[in-house]
Amino acid sequence: MKTSQSFRIYFTIKSDKEKDGKAPLYVVVTINKEKCFIALKQKMVDISIWDFGKGAAKGTKNEIKELNAYLEEVRLKLGNCYKELQLKGKLINTKSIKSLFLGEKEEAFTLSSLMSYHNETANKDLKWSTLKHYYVTQRYLKKFLEQHYNATDIYLRELNYKFVKDFEVFLRNHKPKDHQKPLNNNGVMKHIIRLKKMTNLALNLHWIDADPFATYKLKIQKVNREQLSEVELKAIEEKKFGIERLEMVRDMFVFCCYTGLSYVDVSNLEPEHIVTGADGGRWIRTCREKTLIPVIVPLLPKALAILDKYKDNERALYDGRVFPKISNQKVNSYLKEIADRCDITKNVTFHIARHTFATTVTLSNGVPIETVSKILGHTKITTTQIYAKVVERKLKEDMDRLRMRLK
């Protein structure tokens, strides 16, 4: 971790470029062992008067005094450049010092300008539920810059494999100060993927020439997605809680176990989304909030029963929704209480309802994966295959059928 920097200035002449007994004068800036030469082009110095040990001209003549006074002006100016970058919280290295000293026009191609541009443009394409995760990644990037570069910003040209790898290590070692858990591997990779998407944007904008991720390999671990078994789902369905908030969250959860809707989609569900299908039954016709893909779901009897239970709910009617409004945080908190009361040891979150619909309710009962994919609103069948677990009951039924055929 870099908390301080070594900064050194000295002057020299390049005698190998001597002409008529004179050589060009250079100022050398060193920061943390990184060195750069800046040519002071207007100055050619007589080799005979130069003191290489002191890095200054030797003698008492007026022209020598003027030269040494000029060197002090240069030293002071470079010191001010260092302080200016420090005060502005910008990346301090030999390139940024040289650029500021020479008054070069700085292109505003920094990581913070890239993040700002991304957020402005992505705001039109991404839902807030997705965009908010980029803000979290960007906060981690700022903490990383402060701890490892002693700066609040970095030029995009400085991004390379080492930067990405160091950011990964930072995320893995980061210990949150609040109640949050440290990031697991896939949590780290999600932040890396968002950084990669932002650098891809920079490449497309021609803000950078080289891809920092060219040789970087993402390490995504396969996760065993959790779902409720038939027994666990039945336990939650039949449990009498006697507490309104738990009853309501249970009903919303079970409704999604039989429809495959996500939390945000069931929260936004309106009475007008319940339509009469060609078969005369009631269906859900809506669009997924996340992808805007149309979703058509025939309502199973248990989902219909819950729907009828809430048709006159005052809180839901006031908001023009099928179910009363409740935050995702509260829903998941109450689900943990529900699971505990039902003696379920799994980490039950609202998204498990969608997994349960895909596995326990549909695929395990012989519904083709293509149909399940359509109901879930997936654009690719490979996405649905993540849910296509072979549960024990289905495996037993398939083997029983095989035994009958072999007889």
Short mmCIF file of all heavy atoms in Angstrom, two decimals, residues 219-266:
data_model
loop_
_atom_site.label_atom_id
_atom_site.label_comp_id
_atom_site.label_asym_id
_atom_site.label_seq_id
_atom_site.Cartn_x
_atom_site.Cartn_y
_atom_site.Cartn_z
N LYS A 219 -12.55 -15.39 -13.04
CA LYS A 219 -12.61 -16.68 -12.34
C LYS A 219 -13.98 -16.81 -11.66
O LYS A 219 -14.13 -16.54 -10.46
CB LYS A 219 -11.48 -16.78 -11.31
CG LYS A 219 -10.10 -16.72 -11.93
CD LYS A 219 -9.00 -16.77 -10.90
CE LYS A 219 -8.83 -15.46 -10.19
NZ LYS A 219 -8.31 -14.38 -11.02
N ILE A 220 -15.00 -17.17 -12.44
CA ILE A 220 -16.35 -17.33 -11.91
C ILE A 220 -16.53 -18.75 -11.41
O ILE A 220 -16.26 -19.71 -12.13
CB ILE A 220 -17.42 -17.03 -12.99
CG1 ILE A 220 -17.21 -15.65 -13.60
CG2 ILE A 220 -18.82 -17.17 -12.41
CD1 ILE A 220 -17.46 -14.51 -12.67
N GLN A 221 -16.96 -18.89 -10.17
CA GLN A 221 -17.21 -20.22 -9.61
C GLN A 221 -18.66 -20.60 -9.80
O GLN A 221 -19.56 -19.77 -9.62
CB GLN A 221 -16.87 -20.23 -8.11
CG GLN A 221 -15.39 -20.04 -7.82
CD GLN A 221 -15.11 -19.96 -6.32
OE1 GLN A 221 -16.02 -19.89 -5.51
NE2 GLN A 221 -13.83 -19.95 -5.98
N LYS A 222 -18.90 -21.84 -10.18
CA LYS A 222 -20.26 -22.32 -10.35
C LYS A 222 -20.92 -22.41 -8.98
O LYS A 222 -20.37 -22.95 -8.04
CB LYS A 222 -20.28 -23.69 -11.03
CG LYS A 222 -19.92 -23.63 -12.51
CD LYS A 222 -20.10 -24.98 -13.17
CE LYS A 222 -19.78 -24.89 -14.67
NZ LYS A 222 -19.95 -26.20 -15.35
N VAL A 223 -22.11 -21.83 -8.90
CA VAL A 223 -22.83 -21.78 -7.63
C VAL A 223 -24.00 -22.75 -7.67
O VAL A 223 -24.75 -22.81 -8.66
CB VAL A 223 -23.35 -20.35 -7.34
CG1 VAL A 223 -24.15 -20.32 -6.05
CG2 VAL A 223 -22.19 -19.38 -7.26
N ASN A 224 -24.14 -23.52 -6.60
CA ASN A 224 -25.27 -24.43 -6.48
C ASN A 224 -26.49 -23.63 -6.04
O ASN A 224 -26.65 -23.29 -4.88
CB ASN A 224 -24.94 -25.53 -5.46
CG ASN A 224 -26.05 -26.56 -5.38
OD1 ASN A 224 -26.75 -26.81 -6.35
ND2 ASN A 224 -26.22 -27.16 -4.21
N ARG A 225 -27.37 -23.31 -7.00
CA ARG A 225 -28.52 -22.47 -6.70
C ARG A 225 -29.52 -23.20 -5.79
O ARG A 225 -29.90 -24.33 -6.05
CB ARG A 225 -29.22 -22.02 -8.00
CG ARG A 225 -28.36 -21.05 -8.79
CD ARG A 225 -29.04 -20.65 -10.09
NE ARG A 225 -28.20 -19.72 -10.83
CZ ARG A 225 -28.32 -18.40 -10.80
NH1 ARG A 225 -29.24 -17.85 -10.04
NH2 ARG A 225 -27.53 -17.63 -11.51
N GLU A 226 -29.92 -22.50 -4.76
CA GLU A 226 -30.82 -23.08 -3.75
C GLU A 226 -32.27 -22.97 -4.19
O GLU A 226 -32.66 -22.02 -4.87
CB GLU A 226 -30.62 -22.33 -2.43
CG GLU A 226 -31.05 -23.10 -1.21
CD GLU A 226 -30.07 -24.18 -0.81
OE1 GLU A 226 -29.14 -23.90 -0.04
OE2 GLU A 226 -30.26 -25.33 -1.29
N GLN A 227 -33.07 -23.96 -3.81
CA GLN A 227 -34.51 -23.89 -4.01
C GLN A 227 -35.18 -24.68 -2.90
O GLN A 227 -34.53 -25.43 -2.19
CB GLN A 227 -34.92 -24.44 -5.39
CG GLN A 227 -35.11 -25.93 -5.48
CD GLN A 227 -33.80 -26.68 -5.54
OE1 GLN A 227 -32.82 -26.12 -6.01
NE2 GLN A 227 -33.79 -27.92 -5.08
N LEU A 228 -36.48 -24.47 -2.73
CA LEU A 228 -37.21 -25.22 -1.71
C LEU A 228 -37.66 -26.56 -2.27
O LEU A 228 -38.06 -26.67 -3.43
CB LEU A 228 -38.43 -24.43 -1.24
CG LEU A 228 -38.18 -23.09 -0.54
CD1 LEU A 228 -39.51 -22.47 -0.12
CD2 LEU A 228 -37.25 -23.24 0.65
N SER A 229 -37.63 -27.57 -1.42
CA SER A 229 -38.18 -28.87 -1.80
C SER A 229 -39.70 -28.80 -1.67
O SER A 229 -40.25 -27.84 -1.13
CB SER A 229 -37.62 -29.96 -0.89
OG SER A 229 -38.10 -29.76 0.44
N GLU A 230 -40.37 -29.84 -2.14
CA GLU A 230 -41.84 -29.90 -2.02
C GLU A 230 -42.26 -29.82 -0.55
O GLU A 230 -43.21 -29.11 -0.20
CB GLU A 230 -42.35 -31.22 -2.63
CG GLU A 230 -42.90 -31.07 -4.04
CD GLU A 230 -43.64 -32.31 -4.46
OE1 GLU A 230 -44.86 -32.38 -4.21
OE2 GLU A 230 -42.99 -33.20 -5.04
N VAL A 231 -41.53 -30.52 0.30
CA VAL A 231 -41.86 -30.55 1.73
C VAL A 231 -41.70 -29.17 2.35
O VAL A 231 -42.55 -28.71 3.12
CB VAL A 231 -40.97 -31.58 2.46
CG1 VAL A 231 -41.19 -31.52 3.97
CG2 VAL A 231 -41.25 -33.00 1.94
N GLU A 232 -40.61 -28.49 2.01
CA GLU A 232 -40.34 -27.16 2.56
C GLU A 232 -41.35 -26.14 2.06
O GLU A 232 -41.83 -25.29 2.83
CB GLU A 232 -38.92 -26.72 2.19
CG GLU A 232 -37.84 -27.53 2.91
CD GLU A 232 -36.46 -27.34 2.30
OE1 GLU A 232 -36.37 -27.02 1.09
OE2 GLU A 232 -35.47 -27.53 3.02
N LEU A 233 -41.68 -26.21 0.78
CA LEU A 233 -42.68 -25.29 0.22
C LEU A 233 -44.04 -25.50 0.89
O LEU A 233 -44.73 -24.53 1.24
CB LEU A 233 -42.79 -25.50 -1.29
CG LEU A 233 -43.84 -24.66 -2.04
CD1 LEU A 233 -43.61 -23.17 -1.80
CD2 LEU A 233 -43.81 -24.96 -3.53
N LYS A 234 -44.40 -26.76 1.09
CA LYS A 234 -45.69 -27.08 1.73
C LYS A 234 -45.71 -26.57 3.18
O LYS A 234 -46.74 -26.06 3.66
CB LYS A 234 -45.92 -28.59 1.70
CG LYS A 234 -47.31 -29.00 2.19
CD LYS A 234 -47.52 -30.51 2.04
CE LYS A 234 -48.92 -30.89 2.50
NZ LYS A 234 -49.15 -32.35 2.40
N ALA A 235 -44.56 -26.67 3.86
CA ALA A 235 -44.47 -26.21 5.25
C ALA A 235 -44.73 -24.71 5.34
O ALA A 235 -45.44 -24.24 6.24
CB ALA A 235 -43.10 -26.55 5.82
N ILE A 236 -44.18 -23.96 4.41
CA ILE A 236 -44.39 -22.51 4.39
C ILE A 236 -45.83 -22.18 4.02
O ILE A 236 -46.44 -21.28 4.61
CB ILE A 236 -43.40 -21.83 3.42
CG1 ILE A 236 -41.98 -21.89 3.98
CG2 ILE A 236 -43.79 -20.37 3.15
CD1 ILE A 236 -40.92 -21.30 3.09
N GLU A 237 -46.40 -22.92 3.05
CA GLU A 237 -47.78 -22.67 2.62
C GLU A 237 -48.77 -22.88 3.76
O GLU A 237 -49.72 -22.10 3.92
CB GLU A 237 -48.14 -23.62 1.47
CG GLU A 237 -47.49 -23.29 0.14
CD GLU A 237 -47.88 -24.31 -0.93
OE1 GLU A 237 -49.09 -24.60 -1.03
OE2 GLU A 237 -47.00 -24.79 -1.65
N GLU A 238 -48.56 -23.92 4.54
CA GLU A 238 -49.56 -24.31 5.53
C GLU A 238 -49.35 -23.71 6.92
O GLU A 238 -50.21 -23.83 7.79
CB GLU A 238 -49.59 -25.85 5.64
CG GLU A 238 -50.03 -26.51 4.33
CD GLU A 238 -50.03 -28.03 4.43
OE1 GLU A 238 -49.54 -28.56 5.47
OE2 GLU A 238 -50.52 -28.68 3.48
N LYS A 239 -48.22 -23.07 7.13
CA LYS A 239 -47.90 -22.52 8.44
C LYS A 239 -48.83 -21.35 8.81
O LYS A 239 -49.08 -20.47 8.00
CB LYS A 239 -46.44 -22.04 8.48
CG LYS A 239 -45.99 -21.53 9.83
CD LYS A 239 -45.78 -22.68 10.79
CE LYS A 239 -45.17 -22.21 12.10
NZ LYS A 239 -45.00 -23.31 13.07
N LYS A 240 -49.36 -21.36 10.03
CA LYS A 240 -50.18 -20.26 10.52
C LYS A 240 -49.29 -19.35 11.39
O LYS A 240 -48.80 -19.78 12.44
CB LYS A 240 -51.35 -20.79 11.36
CG LYS A 240 -52.27 -21.75 10.62
CD LYS A 240 -52.98 -21.08 9.46
CE LYS A 240 -53.95 -22.06 8.78
NZ LYS A 240 -54.58 -21.45 7.59
N PHE A 241 -49.08 -18.12 10.94
CA PHE A 241 -48.17 -17.23 11.65
C PHE A 241 -48.88 -16.32 12.65
O PHE A 241 -48.34 -15.99 13.69
CB PHE A 241 -47.39 -16.37 10.65
CG PHE A 241 -46.49 -17.17 9.75
CD1 PHE A 241 -46.86 -17.45 8.45
CD2 PHE A 241 -45.29 -17.66 10.23
CE1 PHE A 241 -46.03 -18.20 7.63
CE2 PHE A 241 -44.45 -18.41 9.42
CZ PHE A 241 -44.82 -18.68 8.11
N GLY A 242 -50.09 -15.91 12.31
CA GLY A 242 -50.82 -15.02 13.20
C GLY A 242 -50.25 -13.61 13.26
O GLY A 242 -50.63 -12.81 14.12
N ILE A 243 -49.34 -13.30 12.38
CA ILE A 243 -48.76 -11.95 12.29
C ILE A 243 -48.94 -11.47 10.84
O ILE A 243 -48.48 -12.11 9.90
CB ILE A 243 -47.25 -11.97 12.65
CG1 ILE A 243 -47.05 -12.51 14.07
CG2 ILE A 243 -46.65 -10.57 12.52
CD1 ILE A 243 -45.60 -12.70 14.45
N GLU A 244 -49.60 -10.34 10.68
CA GLU A 244 -49.98 -9.87 9.35
C GLU A 244 -48.79 -9.72 8.40
O GLU A 244 -48.84 -10.15 7.25
CB GLU A 244 -50.72 -8.54 9.46
CG GLU A 244 -51.27 -8.06 8.11
CD GLU A 244 -51.97 -6.71 8.22
OE1 GLU A 244 -52.18 -6.24 9.35
OE2 GLU A 244 -52.29 -6.14 7.16
N ARG A 245 -47.69 -9.12 8.89
CA ARG A 245 -46.55 -8.87 8.00
C ARG A 245 -45.94 -10.18 7.49
O ARG A 245 -45.55 -10.26 6.31
CB ARG A 245 -45.48 -8.04 8.72
CG ARG A 245 -44.92 -8.68 9.98
CD ARG A 245 -43.88 -7.80 10.67
NE ARG A 245 -43.47 -8.35 11.95
CZ ARG A 245 -42.53 -9.30 12.09
NH1 ARG A 245 -41.92 -9.78 11.02
NH2 ARG A 245 -42.21 -9.75 13.28
N LEU A 246 -45.89 -11.19 8.36
CA LEU A 246 -45.34 -12.48 7.94
C LEU A 246 -46.29 -13.20 6.99
O LEU A 246 -45.85 -13.84 6.02
CB LEU A 246 -45.05 -13.36 9.16
CG LEU A 246 -43.98 -12.86 10.14
CD1 LEU A 246 -43.74 -13.88 11.25
CD2 LEU A 246 -42.66 -12.57 9.41
N GLU A 247 -47.58 -13.10 7.26
CA GLU A 247 -48.58 -13.71 6.38
C GLU A 247 -48.48 -13.11 4.97
O GLU A 247 -48.52 -13.82 3.97
CB GLU A 247 -49.99 -13.49 6.94
CG GLU A 247 -50.26 -14.17 8.26
CD GLU A 247 -50.68 -15.63 8.11
OE1 GLU A 247 -50.88 -16.06 6.96
OE2 GLU A 247 -50.79 -16.32 9.14
N MET A 248 -48.36 -11.77 4.90
CA MET A 248 -48.32 -11.10 3.61
C MET A 248 -47.07 -11.47 2.81
O MET A 248 -47.14 -11.80 1.62
CB MET A 248 -48.36 -9.58 3.80
CG MET A 248 -48.45 -8.80 2.49
SD MET A 248 -48.19 -7.03 2.74
CE MET A 248 -46.41 -6.96 2.90
N VAL A 249 -45.91 -11.46 3.48
CA VAL A 249 -44.66 -11.81 2.80
C VAL A 249 -44.69 -13.27 2.37
O VAL A 249 -44.25 -13.62 1.27
CB VAL A 249 -43.44 -11.52 3.71
CG1 VAL A 249 -42.16 -12.12 3.13
CG2 VAL A 249 -43.27 -10.01 3.89
N ARG A 250 -45.23 -14.15 3.24
CA ARG A 250 -45.37 -15.56 2.87
C ARG A 250 -46.22 -15.72 1.62
O ARG A 250 -45.89 -16.45 0.70
CB ARG A 250 -45.98 -16.33 4.05
CG ARG A 250 -46.05 -17.86 3.84
CD ARG A 250 -47.35 -18.34 3.18
NE ARG A 250 -48.52 -17.84 3.84
CZ ARG A 250 -49.06 -18.43 4.93
NH1 ARG A 250 -48.51 -19.51 5.44
NH2 ARG A 250 -50.15 -17.91 5.46
N ASP A 251 -47.35 -14.97 1.57
CA ASP A 251 -48.27 -15.08 0.42
C ASP A 251 -47.59 -14.61 -0.87
O ASP A 251 -47.71 -15.24 -1.93
CB ASP A 251 -49.53 -14.26 0.67
CG ASP A 251 -50.40 -14.88 1.77
OD1 ASP A 251 -50.23 -16.08 2.05
OD2 ASP A 251 -51.24 -14.15 2.33
N MET A 252 -46.86 -13.49 -0.80
CA MET A 252 -46.14 -12.99 -1.99
C MET A 252 -45.09 -13.99 -2.44
O MET A 252 -44.93 -14.26 -3.64
CB MET A 252 -45.47 -11.64 -1.67
CG MET A 252 -46.44 -10.49 -1.50
SD MET A 252 -45.58 -8.95 -1.06
CE MET A 252 -44.64 -8.62 -2.54
N PHE A 253 -44.38 -14.57 -1.48
CA PHE A 253 -43.33 -15.54 -1.77
C PHE A 253 -43.92 -16.79 -2.44
O PHE A 253 -43.42 -17.25 -3.48
CB PHE A 253 -42.61 -15.91 -0.48
CG PHE A 253 -41.51 -16.92 -0.65
CD1 PHE A 253 -40.26 -16.54 -1.11
CD2 PHE A 253 -41.73 -18.26 -0.34
CE1 PHE A 253 -39.24 -17.48 -1.27
CE2 PHE A 253 -40.72 -19.20 -0.49
CZ PHE A 253 -39.47 -18.80 -0.97
N VAL A 254 -44.97 -17.33 -1.86
CA VAL A 254 -45.60 -18.53 -2.41
C VAL A 254 -46.19 -18.24 -3.79
O VAL A 254 -46.11 -19.06 -4.72
CB VAL A 254 -46.69 -19.07 -1.45
CG1 VAL A 254 -47.49 -20.19 -2.12
CG2 VAL A 254 -46.05 -19.57 -0.16
N PHE A 255 -46.78 -17.05 -3.94
CA PHE A 255 -47.32 -16.65 -5.25
C PHE A 255 -46.23 -16.72 -6.32
O PHE A 255 -46.47 -17.21 -7.43
CB PHE A 255 -47.88 -15.22 -5.16
CG PHE A 255 -48.51 -14.72 -6.42
CD1 PHE A 255 -49.81 -15.08 -6.77
CD2 PHE A 255 -47.81 -13.89 -7.29
CE1 PHE A 255 -50.41 -14.61 -7.94
CE2 PHE A 255 -48.39 -13.42 -8.46
CZ PHE A 255 -49.70 -13.78 -8.78
N CYS A 256 -45.03 -16.28 -5.96
CA CYS A 256 -43.93 -16.30 -6.93
C CYS A 256 -43.38 -17.70 -7.13
O CYS A 256 -42.80 -18.00 -8.19
CB CYS A 256 -42.82 -15.35 -6.49
SG CYS A 256 -43.31 -13.61 -6.63
N CYS A 257 -43.54 -18.56 -6.13
CA CYS A 257 -43.14 -19.97 -6.30
C CYS A 257 -44.00 -20.66 -7.36
O CYS A 257 -43.57 -21.66 -7.95
CB CYS A 257 -43.27 -20.72 -4.96
SG CYS A 257 -41.98 -20.33 -3.77
N TYR A 258 -45.21 -20.13 -7.58
CA TYR A 258 -46.12 -20.73 -8.57
C TYR A 258 -46.28 -19.89 -9.84
O TYR A 258 -47.08 -20.25 -10.71
CB TYR A 258 -47.49 -20.99 -7.92
CG TYR A 258 -47.47 -22.13 -6.94
CD1 TYR A 258 -47.38 -21.89 -5.58
CD2 TYR A 258 -47.49 -23.46 -7.37
CE1 TYR A 258 -47.33 -22.93 -4.66
CE2 TYR A 258 -47.45 -24.51 -6.47
CZ TYR A 258 -47.35 -24.25 -5.12
OH TYR A 258 -47.29 -25.30 -4.23
N THR A 259 -45.54 -18.79 -9.92
CA THR A 259 -45.60 -17.96 -11.14
C THR A 259 -44.22 -17.67 -11.72
O THR A 259 -44.11 -17.32 -12.89
CB THR A 259 -46.27 -16.60 -10.85
OG1 THR A 259 -45.53 -15.92 -9.82
CG2 THR A 259 -47.72 -16.78 -10.40
N GLY A 260 -43.17 -17.80 -10.91
CA GLY A 260 -41.82 -17.53 -11.41
C GLY A 260 -41.45 -16.06 -11.45
O GLY A 260 -40.40 -15.70 -11.97
N LEU A 261 -42.31 -15.19 -10.91
CA LEU A 261 -42.01 -13.76 -10.92
C LEU A 261 -40.90 -13.42 -9.93
O LEU A 261 -40.77 -14.07 -8.89
CB LEU A 261 -43.26 -12.94 -10.59
CG LEU A 261 -44.44 -12.99 -11.59
CD1 LEU A 261 -45.55 -12.09 -11.10
CD2 LEU A 261 -44.00 -12.60 -12.98
N SER A 262 -40.13 -12.39 -10.23
CA SER A 262 -39.10 -11.91 -9.31
C SER A 262 -39.74 -10.92 -8.33
O SER A 262 -40.90 -10.51 -8.51
CB SER A 262 -37.98 -11.22 -10.09
OG SER A 262 -38.49 -10.04 -10.72
N TYR A 263 -38.97 -10.50 -7.34
CA TYR A 263 -39.48 -9.54 -6.35
C TYR A 263 -39.96 -8.25 -7.02
O TYR A 263 -41.06 -7.78 -6.75
CB TYR A 263 -38.40 -9.21 -5.31
CG TYR A 263 -38.68 -7.93 -4.58
CD1 TYR A 263 -39.64 -7.87 -3.56
CD2 TYR A 263 -38.04 -6.74 -4.94
CE1 TYR A 263 -39.93 -6.69 -2.91
CE2 TYR A 263 -38.33 -5.55 -4.30
CZ TYR A 263 -39.27 -5.52 -3.29
OH TYR A 263 -39.57 -4.33 -2.67
N VAL A 264 -39.13 -7.68 -7.89
CA VAL A 264 -39.49 -6.40 -8.50
C VAL A 264 -40.72 -6.54 -9.40
O VAL A 264 -41.56 -5.64 -9.47
CB VAL A 264 -38.29 -5.80 -9.28
CG1 VAL A 264 -37.94 -6.63 -10.52
CG2 VAL A 264 -38.56 -4.35 -9.67
N ASP A 265 -40.85 -7.69 -10.07
CA ASP A 265 -42.00 -7.88 -10.97
C ASP A 265 -43.30 -8.09 -10.20
O ASP A 265 -44.35 -7.58 -10.60
CB ASP A 265 -41.74 -9.06 -11.91
CG ASP A 265 -40.63 -8.77 -12.90
OD1 ASP A 265 -40.46 -7.58 -13.25
OD2 ASP A 265 -39.92 -9.70 -13.32
N VAL A 266 -43.24 -8.81 -9.08
CA VAL A 266 -44.46 -9.00 -8.30
C VAL A 266 -44.82 -7.71 -7.57
O VAL A 266 -46.00 -7.41 -7.35
CB VAL A 266 -44.32 -10.20 -7.32
CG1 VAL A 266 -43.48 -9.84 -6.10
CG2 VAL A 266 -45.70 -10.69 -6.88
#
